[in-house]
Amino acid sequence: MPSPPAAPVRRSRAAGTGLALALLLVLAAFALPVLLDWETWSRASRSAHPWAAPPLHGFWEPKLVGPGTAPTLLVALLGWAWFPRFAASASWGRLLAVSYVLALAWMLSLALVDGPEGISRVLDHSSEYLPSAREVDDVPEMLRTYIDRIPYSHPDNWPTQAAGHPPLALLFFVGLVRVGLGGSLAAGLVVTVVGATTVVSVLALVRSLGAERLARDAAPFLVLSPAAVFMAVSADAVFAAVLAAGLALLARAAVSTGRAWLPWSVGAGLVLGSGVLLSYGMGLMGLVALAVLLAARSWRPLPVVVAAALVPVLLMALAGFAWWEAYPVLTERYWEGIAADRPAWYWMWGNLAALAVSAGPLVGAGLAHAARRARRSPDGRPDQRPEARPDTRIVALLVLGAVLAVLVADLSRMSKSEVERIWLPFIPFLTLAVALLPSGWRRWGLALQIVWAVLVQHLLYTSW
């Protein structure tokens, strides 16, 4: 009998290498600052807080159990033992509904390991949006003076989060305050409920592009991602949800026939343009948007999407906030603050370690495996192996877009530290790489991701 082809072994070997590298990167990022007495200024000086835990913005605070531990373990068991089979066979509508409910339960149960404070404490911090939102009583005036209040030199300068983002992020919380949801617990619940929609949008996007099989394979990893530790009550979860929704609309626009593509394109542009007004860095999601169009093999929506995306940006400029004027001012403030003390030689790779903590180490295996599968044959022709099929190409392009966005963000040095939450919008698209792993890897790999999330939540105070 002929021996089986060696390719699957090599692919598994690539995945194993990727997993090992991700784990070594995380270990080095945590251990070397302690062993070599490096000052990374991830949260504060280690002399001020000896249990600081770079590369994360937080510190070590192990806890055996908390109020949310039992629900977390219940969701984890249900998600590992039952959900993959359900995701493979359920109707599409039921899969989306259950994915949303399970993702929300996962986020809330992990946050509640720290009790109700796990949901409320972050948003009530003086550097966050909510305290600033409660003080806003004149929105037009706020917009007219927004840029003036970014520099440290202004006597009434914005706190960190409001200064570091365009005003739509703050306006979201102003809206919550105006409708009676301005308490930290209520606002935290709203943020978590919105953030959980990210999974639904990403699944819908992948299916629209024609890769339903891989969307189903990816669903358990998107739902039970370790990023849930940082998604719950982080405003960046809202940013992730908005951008994912915009990209899902873009996918529909790209594959629609007849005249339907036009309204989908307008909707995608409006949502994606609003995303840029939530966070300066979300312009990098344009790389994922290009990947969506490449995967769909259609550039028809692009002009309409770009024109529609400019609408919210220009309307905000007419109201007093010009994105292109604000960004240079923010850059000056950024380098006047703690960013100047954070050593680039550590954070250029420490950021990637923080990303691995948030996304989970199996994503490293998925990325390495995807890179291996994308390799062309030695004679330069496209790979003709059975797995080199259209749905694989679609997912690989989406993953590549997210990888490029992360690399640009890292090289810009505008994201030194705190990327475990800042890069949350990129993580679902990186996680899609896990769907390309062999089925055996996915089974135990899902358990690894779940255990990783539980350990991060129980060992660390993550500041988010």
Side-chain angles (χ1 to χ4, degrees):
M1 177 180 292
S3 60
V9 175
R10 290 199 299 269
R11 289 196 297 272
S12 295
R13 197 171 293 162
T17 300
L19 176 61
L21 288 176
L23 292 171
L24 286 172
L25 183 66
V26 171
L27 177 62
F30 276 112
L32 292 181
V34 175
L35 296 176
L36 302 179
D37 199 28
W38 292 346
E39 183 52 84
T40 63
W41 295 91
S42 60
R43 182 176 188 273
S45 171
R46 283 179 55 238
S47 60
H49 203 298
W51 293 103
L56 301 184
H57 193 266
F59 48 86
W60 295 100
E61 187 181 78
K63 55 189 92 56
L64 184 60
V65 295
T69 300
T72 294
L73 296 178
L74 179 62
V75 173
L77 180 61
L78 182 68
W80 182 78
W82 168 78
F83 186 62
R85 292 197 300 272
F86 175 84
S89 59
S91 68
W92 186 253
R94 290 179 64 202
L95 173 58
L96 292 185
V98 172
S99 293
Y100 175 77
V101 172
L102 197 59
L104 181 61
W106 182 236
M107 292 165 66
L108 289 174
S109 62
L110 284 166
L112 288 171
V113 168
D114 294 325
E117 283 190 355
I119 296 174
S120 63
R121 73 179 181 223
V122 174
L123 295 180
D124 240 357
H125 193 276
S126 59
S127 67
E128 287 288 331
Y129 303 97
L130 197 53
S132 298
R134 294 174 184 142
E135 298 174 1
V136 174
D137 53 16
D138 186 340
V139 170
E141 178 65 15
M142 179 202 79
L143 293 175
R144 284 192 295 269
T145 61
Y146 204 92
I147 297 175
D148 294 337
R149 296 177 60 184
I150 293 175
Y152 281 118
S153 58
H154 193 280
D156 189 23
N157 65 76
W158 290 114
T160 302
Q161 297 299 339
H165 295 81
L168 191 57
L170 179 57
L171 285 173
F172 173 79
F173 289 95
V174 171
L176 293 184
V177 171
R178 297 287 176 88
V179 300
L181 296 172
S184 57
L185 181 59
L189 289 172
V190 171
V191 166
T192 309
V193 166
V194 172
T197 66
T198 304
V199 171
V200 177
S201 295
V202 174
L203 290 175
L205 183 161
V206 177
R207 183 178 189 249
S208 293
L209 293 176
E212 180 177 333
R213 178 186 68 88
L214 291 177
R216 292 177 180 274
D217 289 343
F221 299 93
L222 293 168
V223 167
L224 298 169
S225 171
V229 173
F230 306 95
M231 287 281 282
V233 309
S234 167
D236 294 81
V238 176
F239 308 164
V242 170
L243 270 296
L247 292 169
L249 293 173
L250 178 62
R252 288 299 300 271
V255 301
S256 293
T257 57
R259 297 180 179 178
W261 72 274
L262 184 57
W264 287 116
S265 299
V266 172
L270 293 174
V271 175
L272 293 172
S274 299
V276 174
L277 292 173
L278 289 168
S279 171
Y280 295 102
M282 289 306 96
L284 293 175
M285 290 298 282
L287 293 168
V288 183
L290 292 176
V292 169
L293 296 177
L294 278 170
R297 301 181 187 272
S298 173
W299 296 100
R300 180 174 60 175
L302 185 59
V304 176
V305 171
V306 171
L310 289 174
V311 171
V313 176
L314 294 177
L315 287 176
M316 191 70 80
L318 289 174
F321 176 86
W323 191 100
W324 53 90
E325 293 178 359
Y327 186 72
V329 180
L330 164 68
T331 301
E332 290 182 11
R333 168 164 170 155
Y334 179 76
W335 288 106
E336 288 175 1
I338 196 171
D341 296 322
R342 288 173 173 165
W345 54 264
Y346 173 79
W347 288 110
M348 293 294 283
W349 59 275
N351 279 345
L352 301 179
L355 176 65
V357 172
S358 189
L362 193 69
V363 171
L367 292 175
H369 186 67
R372 175 67 177 173
R373 289 177 70 158
R375 184 181 66 84
R376 297 172 69 88
S377 61
D379 60 3
R381 292 178 299 175
D383 191 344
Q384 298 297 321
R385 289 173 295 177
E387 67 270 18
R389 46 209 247 174
D391 56 355
T392 299
R393 170 187 170 274
I394 288 164
V395 167
L397 284 171
L398 296 174
V399 172
L400 177 61
V403 167
L404 292 176
V406 166
L407 292 178
V408 173
D410 198 30
L411 293 173
S412 75
R413 296 192 300 159
M414 290 294 290
S415 296
K416 290 198 293 183
S417 182
E418 307 177 37
V419 300
E420 62 270 20
R421 65 160 182 84
I422 295 173
W423 290 353
L424 284 173
F426 306 139
I427 288 177
F429 298 96
L430 297 172
T431 301
L432 290 176
V434 174
L436 303 178
L437 288 169
S439 58
W441 270 79
R442 294 199 303 272
R443 182 66 175 166
W444 72 262
L446 181 60
L448 172 64
Q449 293 285 91
I450 290 170
V451 170
W452 186 270
V454 172
L455 288 175
V456 169
Q457 181 62 54
H458 283 77
L459 293 178
L460 292 153
Y461 180 102
T462 61
S463 299
W464 311 115

